[in-house]
Amino acid sequence: MTDLQLGSLIVGGVIVATVYAFNWWQEYRYRKQASKAFARNESDALLDVPKNMVRTGEASRMEPSLERAEQVADRFEPQFAEPEFEAEVAAPPMREPYVEPVVAPSPLAAPVLSAPVAAVEVSAQPAAIVGDDHEALASSLLDPALDFIAEIHATELIAATELPVFRGSKRVQVMGCTQDRRWEACVPSARSRYKELKIGLQLADRQGALSSEQLNAFCMSVQQFADEHEAVVTFPQRSAKLVAATNLDEFCAGVDVLIGLNVMAASRPFPMERVRLLAENAGLIRSPEGAFHYRSDSGKTLFTLSNHDHSHFGNTSTGLTLLFDVPRVAGGVSVFDYFAEFAQHLSVALSGELVDDNSKPLTEASLDNIRKQLGVLYAKMDDRGIAPGSVAALRLFA
C-alpha cells in the first residue's frame, strides 16, 4: 500500500468520524431541548380553572360561578347607566312596574307568572352531515377563526388508539379522515384509522389569549408525534395566529358580561319552601348542588337562582341572587326580559327589595337601561359572526 493510499484512507476515516460525531451532537441537543420543553408541569386549562375567574384588568369578565372563591372580584353590576341615569330615575318611563294583584295569599301559595319565553337556541352540537359533505363536521368542531389548526399527512394509517394527549393549555380538538374520506372527531377508544389528521388549539378563552410559549409547546408536541409516525405536518403562520388570538380575546373581553340581580329580605328571612314554589312555578329546576336553573329545551342553563351568600339553601334565606351569563344565552334579550320579570316577581311575592350588588335599588329605568346595553352587546357579537349561545360562543365563554 502506497503512502497516497494510506493517507486517503486516514482522511476518509476522519471525515466519516467527524460527520458521525456532528450528527450525534445535533440529535443530543434536539433531545435535550425537547426534554426541557416537555418537562414543564403546566396546569390543565379545563380542570384547574378558578371558581371565579376574572380576566386581569377586566372587572366585568368572570365565570358564572355560584360558589365563592377565596378572593372574589366584584361581579359586573347591572347598572350600565350613562351619567344621565339619575335623571331617568327621577322621571321613570310610562310602563308601570310589575306588581301582581294577589289578595291575601296563603303562606305557600305560588303566584302565577306569565309563561316563560322560548329561547331561540343554537345547538352546541354539530349538525347532521348530509351526503358526503364531511368537511362540514370538521369545520363545526374546528374553525380557523377560533383555532390554530395543524394538519398531519401520514404515509401509513394511524390508529385512533395511538393518538396521544397533545399538549395544550386550552381546548384541543383532533379530527381524523378515514379511508373512505369521512371526517370524524377522534376518540381514543375508537377502532378508526386515519391517513390525515387536523389538530386544533383554541386561540382564546376566559383565561385569556393563547401565548407564544403555549403555542410553541403545542407545536413541539404535534411535531414529535408526526416524526414518530414518519408523517408530514404543516402549521399556520404562528405570528399571524398569535395576533388573531389577541384580537379575538380583546373582542371577547368587551362582550363578556355576567349580570346579577339580588332580592334581599327587608325584615325577616325568606322561607325556602315559599322560594321553591315560586321558582318551580316560573319554570326553574333545582339542581343537585342546590341552585335553581332556568333551562332551554335542550337543557342549557339560561339563568340561575342561588343563595345570596353562595351557601346551600337551608330553611330560610336572607337574600337571593339571579345570574345571567350574557354571551352564553341564545335569544338573550327575550330571556333577559323574563329574567328581570321573575326577579321583580320574587321581590313582590316575598316582600323583599330588588337591588344591585352595591345594595342600590333597581328600578324599571335601570332595567330598561340594561336591556338597551344588551342589545348593543349582542349586535357586536352578531357583527363578529359569534351569535350568543352558538357553538363558537359556548367554546369561547366556557
Side-chain angles (χ1 to χ4, degrees):
M1 181 179 296
T2 64
D3 292 341
L4 178 60
Q5 291 174 326
L6 182 60
S8 299
L9 287 175
I10 294 174
V11 171
V14 170
I15 293 175
V16 171
T18 301
V19 171
Y20 176 81
F22 177 76
N23 289 338
W24 178 88
W25 177 76
Q26 287 280 72
E27 183 178 357
Y28 169 78
R29 187 177 65 171
Y30 172 76
R31 289 185 177 181
K32 186 176 181 181
Q33 292 176 346
S35 298
K36 182 179 179 181
F38 288 104
R40 298 188 183 99
N41 186 20
E42 298 180 356
S43 61
D44 191 294
L46 299 179
L47 298 180
D48 299 332
V49 176
K51 293 181 179 179
N52 231 327
M53 169 59 65
V54 181
R55 173 182 301 277
T56 303
E58 295 291 343
S60 64
R61 184 178 180 84
M62 74 187 322
E63 295 287 357
S65 173
L66 300 181
E67 299 180 4
R68 184 177 296 277
E70 293 182 1
Q71 183 178 359
V72 182
D74 292 337
R75 184 170 64 245
F76 184 87
E77 295 297 340
Q79 296 186 22
F80 297 88
E82 301 297 333
E84 57 270 26
F85 170 70
E86 295 298 334
E88 293 183 3
V89 176
M94 294 300 296
R95 189 174 66 178
E96 296 181 357
Y98 174 89
V99 179
E100 183 191 0
V102 180
V103 179
S106 62
L108 298 182
V112 178
L113 192 66
S114 57
V117 295
V120 180
E121 184 177 7
V122 182
S123 174
Q125 298 298 327
I129 305 301
V130 180
D132 294 327
D133 188 17
H134 301 285
E135 287 285 348
L137 176 58
S139 62
S140 67
L141 296 178
L142 292 177
D143 185 343
L146 306 180
D147 302 292
F148 178 92
I149 304 174
E151 298 185 4
I152 291 180
H153 302 270
T155 55
E156 300 292 338
L157 293 176
I158 300 175
T161 54
E162 299 178 37
L163 295 175
V165 177
F166 292 100
R167 291 176 62 84
S169 58
K170 302 189 182 300
R171 173 188 181 270
V172 175
Q173 176 67 53
V174 183
M175 301 293 299
C177 185
T178 60
Q179 290 175 279
D180 56 356
R181 305 302 300 172
R182 301 171 70 91
W183 285 95
E184 64 181 26
C186 297
V187 180
S189 59
R191 297 182 179 180
S192 302
R193 299 169 67 85
Y194 310 111
K195 195 70 175 288
E196 299 177 37
L197 294 169
K198 292 183 179 181
I199 308 167
L201 176 65
Q202 192 162 302
L203 297 177
D205 56 24
R206 274 179 161 159
Q207 288 183 295
L210 182 67
S211 69
S212 177
E213 183 179 10
Q214 293 168 341
L215 181 57
N216 289 338
F218 170 76
C219 290
M220 290 185 68
S221 177
V222 175
Q223 184 67 63
Q224 185 179 38
F225 172 78
D227 292 343
E228 291 172 354
H229 290 79
E230 297 182 354
V232 177
V233 58
T234 58
F235 299 101
Q237 187 179 21
R238 300 189 193 186
S239 59
K241 282 296 184 179
L242 288 174
V243 172
T246 300
N247 293 337
L248 178 62
D249 181 60
E250 290 176 354
F251 161 77
C252 291
V255 298
D256 196 356
V257 174
L258 181 71
I259 298 175
L261 305 181
N262 304 296
V263 179
M264 306 303 296
S267 56
R268 56 183 179 179
F270 303 138
M272 275 310 302
E273 182 64 15
R274 174 74 165 160
V275 172
R276 181 186 66 80
L277 288 176
L278 290 168
E280 291 178 354
N281 186 61
L284 280 74
I285 300 175
R286 192 166 187 174
S287 62
E289 73 273 11
F292 292 89
H293 293 247
Y294 180 61
R295 303 181 187 276
S296 64
D297 291 340
S298 65
K300 297 183 181 64
T301 295
L302 301 179
F303 64 83
T304 61
L305 170 67
S306 66
N307 217 353
H308 180 66
D309 61 3
H310 304 280
S311 64
H312 290 284
F313 284 119
N315 295 326
T316 61
S317 174
T318 59
L320 307 170
T321 295
L322 293 99
L323 297 177
F324 180 87
D325 195 0
V326 172
R328 291 181 59 85
V329 178
V333 174
S334 60
V335 176
F336 172 78
D337 287 339
Y338 188 67
F339 168 77
E341 181 187 8
F342 176 56
Q344 292 174 303
H345 185 81
L346 278 179
S347 66
V348 172
L350 296 172
S351 298
E353 186 178 11
L354 183 62
V355 299
D356 62 21
D357 281 348
N358 291 323
S359 299
K360 295 181 180 180
L362 287 169
T363 65
E364 283 289 327
S366 58
L367 292 174
D368 283 342
N369 201 28
I370 295 174
R371 187 178 296 103
K372 293 175 183 177
Q373 295 298 324
L374 278 179
V376 174
L377 292 176
Y378 284 137
K380 290 181 179 178
M381 295 187 69
D382 290 335
D383 290 344
R384 181 82 181 205
I386 303 175
S390 64
V391 177
L394 295 178
R395 283 176 54 186
L396 292 170
F397 304 101

PDB file of all heavy atoms in Angstrom, residues 133-154:
ATOM      1  N   ASP A 133     -70.754  15.481   2.520  1.00  0.00           N
ATOM      2  CA  ASP A 133     -70.199  16.753   2.982  1.00  0.00           C
ATOM      3  C   ASP A 133     -69.613  16.596   4.379  1.00  0.00           C
ATOM      4  O   ASP A 133     -70.059  17.211   5.333  1.00  0.00           O
ATOM      5  CB  ASP A 133     -71.287  17.826   2.971  1.00  0.00           C
ATOM      6  CG  ASP A 133     -70.717  19.207   3.248  1.00  0.00           C
ATOM      7  OD1 ASP A 133     -69.496  19.367   3.119  1.00  0.00           O
ATOM      8  OD2 ASP A 133     -71.497  20.107   3.604  1.00  0.00           O
ATOM      9  N   HIS A 134     -68.550  15.780   4.498  1.00  0.00           N
ATOM     10  CA  HIS A 134     -67.968  15.516   5.807  1.00  0.00           C
ATOM     11  C   HIS A 134     -67.004  16.608   6.228  1.00  0.00           C
ATOM     12  O   HIS A 134     -66.592  16.657   7.384  1.00  0.00           O
ATOM     13  CB  HIS A 134     -67.271  14.152   5.795  1.00  0.00           C
ATOM     14  CG  HIS A 134     -68.218  13.034   5.451  1.00  0.00           C
ATOM     15  ND1 HIS A 134     -69.141  12.573   6.349  1.00  0.00           N
ATOM     16  CD2 HIS A 134     -68.400  12.336   4.305  1.00  0.00           C
ATOM     17  CE1 HIS A 134     -69.846  11.602   5.770  1.00  0.00           C
ATOM     18  NE2 HIS A 134     -69.424  11.455   4.539  1.00  0.00           N
ATOM     19  N   GLU A 135     -66.628  17.491   5.305  1.00  0.00           N
ATOM     20  CA  GLU A 135     -65.827  18.647   5.700  1.00  0.00           C
ATOM     21  C   GLU A 135     -66.629  19.534   6.651  1.00  0.00           C
ATOM     22  O   GLU A 135     -66.065  20.243   7.471  1.00  0.00           O
ATOM     23  CB  GLU A 135     -65.414  19.460   4.462  1.00  0.00           C
ATOM     24  CG  GLU A 135     -64.341  18.805   3.612  1.00  0.00           C
ATOM     25  CD  GLU A 135     -62.969  18.903   4.259  1.00  0.00           C
ATOM     26  OE1 GLU A 135     -62.823  19.659   5.231  1.00  0.00           O
ATOM     27  OE2 GLU A 135     -62.052  18.208   3.797  1.00  0.00           O
ATOM     28  N   ALA A 136     -67.968  19.479   6.540  1.00  0.00           N
ATOM     29  CA  ALA A 136     -68.811  20.300   7.415  1.00  0.00           C
ATOM     30  C   ALA A 136     -68.628  19.918   8.870  1.00  0.00           C
ATOM     31  O   ALA A 136     -68.674  20.756   9.763  1.00  0.00           O
ATOM     32  CB  ALA A 136     -70.281  20.162   7.010  1.00  0.00           C
ATOM     33  N   LEU A 137     -68.417  18.619   9.134  1.00  0.00           N
ATOM     34  CA  LEU A 137     -68.205  18.185  10.506  1.00  0.00           C
ATOM     35  C   LEU A 137     -66.905  18.735  11.048  1.00  0.00           C
ATOM     36  O   LEU A 137     -66.846  19.225  12.184  1.00  0.00           O
ATOM     37  CB  LEU A 137     -68.193  16.656  10.580  1.00  0.00           C
ATOM     38  CG  LEU A 137     -67.889  16.049  11.958  1.00  0.00           C
ATOM     39  CD1 LEU A 137     -68.906  16.544  12.968  1.00  0.00           C
ATOM     40  CD2 LEU A 137     -67.881  14.535  11.901  1.00  0.00           C
ATOM     41  N   ALA A 138     -65.846  18.680  10.240  1.00  0.00           N
ATOM     42  CA  ALA A 138     -64.555  19.212  10.689  1.00  0.00           C
ATOM     43  C   ALA A 138     -64.661  20.701  10.975  1.00  0.00           C
ATOM     44  O   ALA A 138     -64.129  21.196  11.972  1.00  0.00           O
ATOM     45  CB  ALA A 138     -63.477  18.939   9.628  1.00  0.00           C
ATOM     46  N   SER A 139     -65.362  21.432  10.100  1.00  0.00           N
ATOM     47  CA  SER A 139     -65.461  22.877  10.294  1.00  0.00           C
ATOM     48  C   SER A 139     -66.357  23.234  11.473  1.00  0.00           C
ATOM     49  O   SER A 139     -66.219  24.311  12.040  1.00  0.00           O
ATOM     50  CB  SER A 139     -65.993  23.536   9.014  1.00  0.00           C
ATOM     51  OG  SER A 139     -67.299  23.072   8.722  1.00  0.00           O
ATOM     52  N   SER A 140     -67.272  22.329  11.858  1.00  0.00           N
ATOM     53  CA  SER A 140     -68.133  22.621  13.001  1.00  0.00           C
ATOM     54  C   SER A 140     -67.385  22.482  14.315  1.00  0.00           C
ATOM     55  O   SER A 140     -67.739  23.111  15.305  1.00  0.00           O
ATOM     56  CB  SER A 140     -69.347  21.696  12.999  1.00  0.00           C
ATOM     57  OG  SER A 140     -68.960  20.356  13.233  1.00  0.00           O
ATOM     58  N   LEU A 141     -66.353  21.642  14.349  1.00  0.00           N
ATOM     59  CA  LEU A 141     -65.561  21.448  15.560  1.00  0.00           C
ATOM     60  C   LEU A 141     -64.245  22.204  15.531  1.00  0.00           C
ATOM     61  O   LEU A 141     -63.664  22.482  16.584  1.00  0.00           O
ATOM     62  CB  LEU A 141     -65.292  19.952  15.770  1.00  0.00           C
ATOM     63  CG  LEU A 141     -66.527  19.081  16.018  1.00  0.00           C
ATOM     64  CD1 LEU A 141     -66.125  17.620  16.162  1.00  0.00           C
ATOM     65  CD2 LEU A 141     -67.291  19.545  17.237  1.00  0.00           C
ATOM     66  N   LEU A 142     -63.760  22.509  14.344  1.00  0.00           N
ATOM     67  CA  LEU A 142     -62.537  23.286  14.180  1.00  0.00           C
ATOM     68  C   LEU A 142     -62.812  24.461  13.256  1.00  0.00           C
ATOM     69  O   LEU A 142     -63.385  24.287  12.179  1.00  0.00           O
ATOM     70  CB  LEU A 142     -61.406  22.423  13.596  1.00  0.00           C
ATOM     71  CG  LEU A 142     -60.854  21.316  14.489  1.00  0.00           C
ATOM     72  CD1 LEU A 142     -59.796  20.503  13.744  1.00  0.00           C
ATOM     73  CD2 LEU A 142     -60.271  21.891  15.767  1.00  0.00           C
ATOM     74  N   ASP A 143     -62.413  25.644  13.676  1.00  0.00           N
ATOM     75  CA  ASP A 143     -62.690  26.867  12.924  1.00  0.00           C
ATOM     76  C   ASP A 143     -61.406  27.689  12.861  1.00  0.00           C
ATOM     77  O   ASP A 143     -60.859  28.051  13.907  1.00  0.00           O
ATOM     78  CB  ASP A 143     -63.795  27.657  13.622  1.00  0.00           C
ATOM     79  CG  ASP A 143     -64.239  28.881  12.836  1.00  0.00           C
ATOM     80  OD1 ASP A 143     -63.503  29.309  11.919  1.00  0.00           O
ATOM     81  OD2 ASP A 143     -65.306  29.426  13.142  1.00  0.00           O
ATOM     82  N   PRO A 144     -60.886  27.984  11.670  1.00  0.00           N
ATOM     83  CA  PRO A 144     -59.647  28.771  11.572  1.00  0.00           C
ATOM     84  C   PRO A 144     -59.740  30.125  12.278  1.00  0.00           C
ATOM     85  O   PRO A 144     -58.719  30.679  12.666  1.00  0.00           O
ATOM     86  CB  PRO A 144     -59.471  28.950  10.056  1.00  0.00           C
ATOM     87  CG  PRO A 144     -60.204  27.797   9.449  1.00  0.00           C
ATOM     88  CD  PRO A 144     -61.370  27.547  10.348  1.00  0.00           C
ATOM     89  N   ALA A 145     -60.962  30.651  12.444  1.00  0.00           N
ATOM     90  CA  ALA A 145     -61.114  31.931  13.134  1.00  0.00           C
ATOM     91  C   ALA A 145     -60.974  31.779  14.642  1.00  0.00           C
ATOM     92  O   ALA A 145     -60.718  32.753  15.345  1.00  0.00           O
ATOM     93  CB  ALA A 145     -62.475  32.548  12.804  1.00  0.00           C
ATOM     94  N   LEU A 146     -61.126  30.549  15.142  1.00  0.00           N
ATOM     95  CA  LEU A 146     -61.068  30.305  16.580  1.00  0.00           C
ATOM     96  C   LEU A 146     -59.917  29.400  16.990  1.00  0.00           C
ATOM     97  O   LEU A 146     -59.559  29.360  18.170  1.00  0.00           O
ATOM     98  CB  LEU A 146     -62.380  29.663  17.064  1.00  0.00           C
ATOM     99  CG  LEU A 146     -63.691  30.373  16.731  1.00  0.00           C
ATOM    100  CD1 LEU A 146     -64.861  29.581  17.291  1.00  0.00           C
ATOM    101  CD2 LEU A 146     -63.693  31.789  17.267  1.00  0.00           C
ATOM    102  N   ASP A 147     -59.341  28.663  16.029  1.00  0.00           N
ATOM    103  CA  ASP A 147     -58.344  27.648  16.361  1.00  0.00           C
ATOM    104  C   ASP A 147     -57.064  27.798  15.541  1.00  0.00           C
ATOM    105  O   ASP A 147     -57.084  28.271  14.402  1.00  0.00           O
ATOM    106  CB  ASP A 147     -58.910  26.243  16.105  1.00  0.00           C
ATOM    107  CG  ASP A 147     -60.175  25.966  16.887  1.00  0.00           C
ATOM    108  OD1 ASP A 147     -60.087  25.868  18.116  1.00  0.00           O
ATOM    109  OD2 ASP A 147     -61.244  25.853  16.248  1.00  0.00           O
ATOM    110  N   PHE A 148     -55.959  27.369  16.146  1.00  0.00           N
ATOM    111  CA  PHE A 148     -54.704  27.163  15.436  1.00  0.00           C
ATOM    112  C   PHE A 148     -54.718  25.696  15.020  1.00  0.00           C
ATOM    113  O   PHE A 148     -54.689  24.795  15.863  1.00  0.00           O
ATOM    114  CB  PHE A 148     -53.516  27.454  16.367  1.00  0.00           C
ATOM    115  CG  PHE A 148     -52.169  27.231  15.740  1.00  0.00           C
ATOM    116  CD1 PHE A 148     -51.495  28.270  15.113  1.00  0.00           C
ATOM    117  CD2 PHE A 148     -51.566  25.977  15.789  1.00  0.00           C
ATOM    118  CE1 PHE A 148     -50.252  28.066  14.528  1.00  0.00           C
ATOM    119  CE2 PHE A 148     -50.320  25.768  15.209  1.00  0.00           C
ATOM    120  CZ  PHE A 148     -49.665  26.817  14.588  1.00  0.00           C
ATOM    121  N   ILE A 149     -54.785  25.425  13.702  1.00  0.00           N
ATOM    122  CA  ILE A 149     -55.008  24.061  13.218  1.00  0.00           C
ATOM    123  C   ILE A 149     -53.751  23.517  12.527  1.00  0.00           C
ATOM    124  O   ILE A 149     -53.301  24.057  11.514  1.00  0.00           O
ATOM    125  CB  ILE A 149     -56.197  24.017  12.238  1.00  0.00           C
ATOM    126  CG1 ILE A 149     -57.448  24.595  12.901  1.00  0.00           C
ATOM    127  CG2 ILE A 149     -56.449  22.588  11.781  1.00  0.00           C
ATOM    128  CD1 ILE A 149     -58.635  24.720  11.972  1.00  0.00           C
ATOM    129  N   ALA A 150     -53.197  22.443  13.103  1.00  0.00           N
ATOM    130  CA  ALA A 150     -52.074  21.734  12.490  1.00  0.00           C
ATOM    131  C   ALA A 150     -52.626  20.561  11.689  1.00  0.00           C
ATOM    132  O   ALA A 150     -53.566  19.887  12.131  1.00  0.00           O
ATOM    133  CB  ALA A 150     -51.122  21.241  13.566  1.00  0.00           C
ATOM    134  N   GLU A 151     -52.047  20.312  10.509  1.00  0.00           N
ATOM    135  CA  GLU A 151     -52.505  19.222   9.645  1.00  0.00           C
ATOM    136  C   GLU A 151     -51.401  18.191   9.487  1.00  0.00           C
ATOM    137  O   GLU A 151     -50.252  18.536   9.190  1.00  0.00           O
ATOM    138  CB  GLU A 151     -52.940  19.760   8.286  1.00  0.00           C
ATOM    139  CG  GLU A 151     -54.109  20.735   8.353  1.00  0.00           C
ATOM    140  CD  GLU A 151     -54.598  21.159   6.991  1.00  0.00           C
ATOM    141  OE1 GLU A 151     -54.066  20.633   5.980  1.00  0.00           O
ATOM    142  OE2 GLU A 151     -55.500  22.010   6.907  1.00  0.00           O
ATOM    143  N   ILE A 152     -51.753  16.929   9.684  1.00  0.00           N
ATOM    144  CA  ILE A 152     -50.795  15.822   9.583  1.00  0.00           C
ATOM    145  C   ILE A 152     -51.203  14.918   8.430  1.00  0.00           C
ATOM    146  O   ILE A 152     -52.356  14.495   8.336  1.00  0.00           O
ATOM    147  CB  ILE A 152     -50.739  15.010  10.899  1.00  0.00           C
ATOM    148  CG1 ILE A 152     -50.104  15.848  12.012  1.00  0.00           C
ATOM    149  CG2 ILE A 152     -49.966  13.715  10.710  1.00  0.00           C
ATOM    150  CD1 ILE A 152     -49.999  15.128  13.342  1.00  0.00           C
ATOM    151  N   HIS A 153     -50.251  14.626   7.542  1.00  0.00           N
ATOM    152  CA  HIS A 153     -50.452  13.718   6.418  1.00  0.00           C
ATOM    153  C   HIS A 153     -49.489  12.550   6.600  1.00  0.00           C
ATOM    154  O   HIS A 153     -48.262  12.720   6.549  1.00  0.00           O
ATOM    155  CB  HIS A 153     -50.198  14.429   5.089  1.00  0.00           C
ATOM    156  CG  HIS A 153     -51.068  15.635   4.887  1.00  0.00           C
ATOM    157  ND1 HIS A 153     -52.300  15.582   4.274  1.00  0.00           N
ATOM    158  CD2 HIS A 153     -50.893  16.941   5.244  1.00  0.00           C
ATOM    159  CE1 HIS A 153     -52.845  16.789   4.247  1.00  0.00           C
ATOM    160  NE2 HIS A 153     -52.010  17.629   4.832  1.00  0.00           N
ATOM    161  N   ALA A 154     -50.048  11.370   6.823  1.00  0.00           N
ATOM    162  CA  ALA A 154     -49.237  10.194   7.151  1.00  0.00           C
ATOM    163  C   ALA A 154     -49.065   9.286   5.941  1.00  0.00           C
ATOM    164  O   ALA A 154     -49.939   9.226   5.065  1.00  0.00           O
ATOM    165  CB  ALA A 154     -49.885   9.427   8.289  1.00  0.00           C
TER     166      ALA A 154
END
